[in-house]
Amino acid sequence: MNNEPKLKIQSYLDNELSATEGREVAALLEKDSNARALFTELKDTKALLVNNEPTYRLADSREFYWSRIERAIAATPQEPPRVLAPWWLRVLAPLAGSAAVLTLLVSLSLSNKTPEQLVSNLDVTETSALIEEEAGGISFHSANHGLTVVWVATGDQ
């Protein structure tokens, strides 16, 4: 016997079939001894499970049981909320953060200068003359490209 008739027999036992399907399974049980044996086994197993299922009972009534739990929760001392930091730290922390952001913004605005703006304060001719006298070297300046290259030569070269 394959699974479909077995499932139909179990559904018949649990009264889950329509009237037409129930009549078909009843006819199957009358003529097939294997189907009758399976039906008897399933019926005995169901009765065994229903009749021998343990029942658990509380010594107290349901209301008394839950009221004891409620009283235990209410009797637990409540801790006052903790203050995470002293008042002065709660005031100074946002101020320090604001100062850090302001410092960052100012430094970023100053660093947005072009290389020409940064080099404009330097006197390239003085620097190159000083390098040529003391260490030796060559300097090249291109006005078209706005570029100055200084080659410093040490005594080893």
Side-chain angles (χ1 to χ4, degrees):
M1 185 182 315
N2 60 18
N3 281 339
E4 188 174 335
K6 290 179 182 179
L7 291 174
K8 292 263 187 185
I9 291 170
Q10 184 173 357
S11 298
Y12 177 74
L13 178 65
D14 294 335
N15 293 323
E16 295 175 348
L17 297 178
S18 65
T20 308
E21 290 177 322
R23 284 191 294 271
E24 290 173 2
V25 173
L28 176 68
L29 291 174
E30 286 179 14
K31 59 182 171 175
D32 189 358
S33 62
N34 289 336
R36 265 192 314 272
L38 177 63
F39 180 75
T40 306
E41 184 179 344
L42 289 173
K43 187 172 150 185
D44 293 342
T45 304
K46 182 178 179 180
L48 230 159
L49 290 173
V50 168
N51 295 332
N52 292 316
E53 188 170 328
T55 55
Y56 298 102
R57 297 196 186 264
L58 293 174
D60 303 323
S61 70
R62 180 180 184 274
E63 292 78 19
F64 181 71
Y65 178 76
W66 288 110
S67 68
R68 267 191 0 206
I69 293 173
E70 185 179 12
R71 280 183 276 147
I73 291 172
T76 304
Q78 299 294 325
E79 293 182 22
R82 294 183 187 179
V83 177
L84 299 177
W87 68 270
W88 56 269
L89 187 58
R90 288 182 293 181
V91 171
L92 290 180
L95 291 176
S98 300
V101 169
L102 183 63
T103 303
L104 178 66
L105 290 175
V106 168
S107 67
L108 288 176
S109 69
L110 293 177
S111 67
N112 285 337
K113 294 182 179 179
T114 63
E116 290 83 17
Q117 292 171 333
L118 292 173
V119 175
S120 66
N121 296 336
L122 299 175
D123 188 0
V124 177
T125 55
E126 290 178 10
T127 308
S128 62
L130 181 65
I131 291 173
E132 288 175 8
E133 289 174 7
E134 293 187 11
I138 301 170
S139 66
F140 170 77
H141 177 70
S142 171
N144 292 339
H145 296 97
L147 175 72
T148 301
V149 177
V150 179
W151 177 268
V152 180
T154 61
D156 297 339
Q157 295 177 342

